[in-house]
Amino acid sequence: MSTQKGNQKHLTLSDRINIEKGLNNNDSFAAIAKVVHKDPTTISKEVRKHSKVKEYKGFGNTPCEANSDIHSPCSLKHVCGDQDCDIRCRLCRKMRCSDVCKAYQPKQCSKLKRAPYVCNGCGKRTNCAMEKKIYSSKYADDCYRETLSSCREGINQTPESIQKMNDILSPLIQKGQSISHIYATHAEDLGCSKRTTYTYIDAGVFDVKNIDLRRKVKYKKRKRATNTSAKNRLYRIGHNYEDFQKYIEKKPDTNIVEMDCVEGDADGHKVFLTFTFRRTHLMLIFLMEHQTQEEVLKIFSFLEKQLGVDRFSKLFEVILTDGGSEFADRVGMETSNDGKVQRTIVFYCDPYSFWQKGCCEKNHEYIRYVRKKGSTLDDLDQEKTTLLANNINSTKRDSLNGHSPFELSQLLLDNQLLSTMGYKLIAPDDVMLTPELLK
């Protein structure tokens, strides 16, 4: 047994084992309390609270302490009114009293009304036909753990505070805003952590449900890439992902831009051309009439005319893209409009390695919130495309420490780029990322 003074506020499993041993040895509460270094009243409360009732499982009747005659351990003696009841009880050896008598009530042992309140150390425990109370250290500790866990369950909020949170969260989530974006502006008003908010939504406390949270929806498993025939890709020589990594090692402060296309439905013609700045996550979106090399070069020419060659070269120092046919004219993209200056350097990701330009792919998720995969883009124009980009770039994100790409771009990028594109910051509560945005 432990001889050191404990400093735990609650009884431990080791303490309960010592209590059970003491009860089995018929030790007093005072003696047990000295072993576990607790007050005797603590031991008394523990035993009475966590003892369990064990019913008599045997058949027939057993002798009573006061009378050697065989009779039923019933607290009510023959209240049924049947004169032959006593005779049947004496002769019965096979039936359980509770099965044949509606008035049967188990007899309670008078010793259980005083300390130690349990039958652990009783010498007649084995043959006793009455209900027993047993203290088990394992059962008592399990009850304690369950109580400790259940007391922390539930909603630790008043109805008024829940309604206040619902009034803030529900309208904004229905606009397609993420929990992170909402907390970047309303953390003090909500008064609890993001993790707690997710728990409340999962418990159905608010009007919004888990289905309204996009990250709760499982994504379809990506199809396995199929082998394609080898093509002539001379334009990639010296500009593969391995070459990109070597270039970045030599120039770690290089401004990297990830480029990609977002397609509409199979019958449509228009596509999005996107540029994502790794440093700020700012995404430029252009609407192209066709997914061709010529359309891509038009966008490059437009940007150079609006920004100038020098500013374009600083902003788009290195471009990382995939091996789509629309990006095959590497020399055309790298060379200025007059053909005299190299305005950028283009590198290509490895085949089927979308993760190599993960910043761009992540930004495309926001586009799909507004335009589902497989839906047409033919009904859009550049004005609506700019509106979409403004809402995406105004979304605050955990990865940006609670800021939006637009806010960081105002600090880290040339503001001429934002004014050229006509990009404007959307107020946090006005951000919308649902299909209704472009209707």
Side-chain angles (χ1 to χ4, degrees):
M1 294 185 181
S2 174
T3 57
Q4 297 180 355
K5 185 175 181 180
N7 58 358
Q8 298 90 352
K9 184 177 180 180
H10 296 264
L11 291 172
T12 63
L13 177 60
S14 178
D15 293 335
R16 292 185 170 91
I17 292 175
N18 288 329
I19 292 174
E20 183 179 2
K21 289 180 180 179
L23 294 173
N24 293 338
N25 295 332
N26 282 323
D27 294 340
S28 65
F29 286 162
I32 297 173
K34 291 181 179 180
V35 176
V36 297
H37 305 290
K38 299 290 182 180
D39 192 89
T41 56
T42 301
I43 309 302
S44 176
K45 292 177 182 178
E46 167 68 16
V47 172
R48 284 184 288 177
K49 185 176 182 179
H50 291 145
S51 60
K52 60 180 178 179
V53 177
K54 184 178 180 181
E55 295 183 357
Y56 176 68
K57 302 291 184 181
F59 288 97
N61 306 310
T62 56
C64 176
E65 291 183 15
N67 190 350
S68 60
D69 294 337
I70 297 176
H71 76 287
S72 171
C74 181
S75 59
L76 302 176
K77 190 172 182 180
H78 311 309
V79 297
C80 57
D82 192 341
Q83 299 297 328
D84 298 328
C85 182
D86 184 53
I87 298 176
R88 288 201 305 271
C89 287
R90 291 174 180 274
L91 298 178
C92 178
R93 296 294 187 274
K94 299 180 180 180
M95 301 297 292
R96 191 187 295 268
C97 296
S98 58
D99 295 338
V100 297
C101 181
K102 295 181 179 180
Y104 171 79
Q105 293 183 9
K107 187 176 181 180
Q108 301 291 333
C109 180
S110 58
K111 293 183 178 180
L112 296 179
K113 296 180 180 180
R114 58 183 184 272
Y117 308 106
V118 289
C119 306
N120 287 55
C122 182
K124 300 180 181 180
R125 170 180 165 184
T126 303
N127 297 323
C128 180
M130 290 180 284
E131 286 185 346
K132 306 178 184 67
K133 280 189 176 181
I134 306 297
Y135 180 84
S136 167
S137 57
K138 180 65 171 61
Y139 173 79
D141 195 66
D142 289 343
C143 291
Y144 162 75
R145 298 293 173 187
E146 183 179 355
T147 303
L148 196 66
S149 175
S150 61
C151 71
R152 291 175 170 84
E153 295 177 353
I155 305 299
N156 188 24
Q157 297 283 348
T158 63
E160 292 76 14
S161 62
I162 288 294
Q163 184 60 47
K164 180 182 177 181
M165 294 175 65
N166 184 65
D167 292 341
I168 297 173
L169 286 169
S170 297
L172 299 180
I173 292 177
Q174 289 168 2
K175 287 184 177 181
Q177 297 184 15
S178 66
I179 297 295
S180 298
H181 175 82
I182 296 172
Y183 262 82
T185 309
H186 298 285
E188 295 183 1
D189 297 331
L190 293 171
C192 65
S193 66
K194 282 186 283 188
R195 180 65 265 169
T196 301
T197 300
Y198 280 111
T199 301
Y200 288 170
I201 293 175
D202 186 62
V205 175
F206 305 129
D207 293 337
V208 291
K209 308 300 179 185
N210 280 334
I211 194 64
D212 299 311
L213 304 178
R214 295 189 181 91
R215 303 306 298 182
K216 289 282 187 177
V217 181
K218 293 183 179 179
Y219 291 94
K220 292 183 179 179
K221 187 177 180 180
R222 289 183 176 268
K223 295 181 180 179
R224 190 174 181 178
T226 56
N227 294 327
T228 56
S229 59
K231 297 180 180 180
N232 183 15
R233 295 187 175 179
L234 296 177
Y235 64 90
R236 294 179 61 115
I237 297 177
H239 290 262
N240 290 306
Y241 191 73
E242 182 180 356
D243 303 307
F244 166 76
Q245 290 178 310
K246 293 178 180 178
Y247 184 91
I248 297 304
E249 286 180 3
K250 295 179 181 179
K251 298 182 178 182
D253 296 329
T254 300
N255 191 22
I256 303 170
V257 180
E258 299 177 1
M259 179 175 64
D260 201 1
C261 272
V262 178
E263 303 174 0
D265 62 348
D267 299 329
H269 300 287
K270 293 183 179 182
V271 296
F272 285 145
L273 176 66
T274 66
F275 296 91
T276 302
F277 294 82
R278 272 193 181 181
R279 190 170 299 172
T280 64
H281 291 208
L282 181 79
M283 181 167 60
L284 309 182
I285 308 178
F286 295 91
L287 186 66
M288 300 194 304
E289 295 295 329
H290 302 280
Q291 192 173 355
T292 61
Q293 297 176 22
E294 292 76 14
E295 290 291 323
V296 172
L297 292 179
K298 285 182 181 180
I299 302 301
F300 274 74
S301 297
F302 168 78
L303 286 172
E304 182 187 327
K305 290 178 181 178
Q306 298 297 320
L307 299 172
V309 178
D310 293 338
R311 185 176 280 115
F312 181 95
S313 297
K314 291 180 180 179
L315 288 169
F316 298 87
E317 187 174 354
V318 168
I319 295 178
L320 179 65
T321 186
D322 56 35
S325 60
E326 67 273 22
F327 304 128
D329 190 358
R330 177 179 58 81
V331 176
M333 292 186 292
E334 291 181 340
T335 307
S336 62
N337 294 339
D338 58 10
K340 298 180 180 180
V341 179
Q342 184 178 11
R343 57 190 175 190
T344 185
I345 302 177
V346 178
F347 291 97
Y348 296 92
C349 297
D350 296 330
Y352 310 112
S353 301
F354 62 92
W355 51 269
Q356 292 176 351
K357 50 181 179 63
C359 184
C360 177
E361 295 290 341
K362 175 59 182 178
N363 264 349
H364 287 177
E365 288 187 15
Y366 292 96
I367 296 177
R368 292 307 185 189
Y369 295 160
V370 180
R371 278 297 164 102
K372 304 298 182 183
K373 188 174 182 179
S375 59
T376 183
L377 304 178
D378 290 350
D379 60 326
L380 301 181
D381 54 23
Q382 188 58 46
E383 183 180 354
K384 290 185 177 180
T385 303
T386 300
L387 175 63
L388 172 62
N390 284 336
N391 280 268
I392 293 175
N393 291 323
S394 298
T395 300
K396 299 178 184 292
R397 309 176 190 182
D398 285 341
S399 58
L400 302 178
N401 197 25
H403 296 285
S404 67
F406 193 97
E407 291 171 337
L408 290 185
S409 298
Q410 289 178 315
L411 299 174
L412 302 177
L413 295 181
D414 193 327
N415 289 333
Q416 179 65 31
L417 175 66
L418 299 175
S419 60
T420 297
M421 294 298 301
Y423 285 178
K424 299 179 180 179
L425 180 64
I426 304 296
D429 290 352
D430 294 332
V431 171
M432 179 179 291
L433 291 175
T434 62
E436 286 70 23
L437 175 66
L438 301 180
K439 290 184 179 179

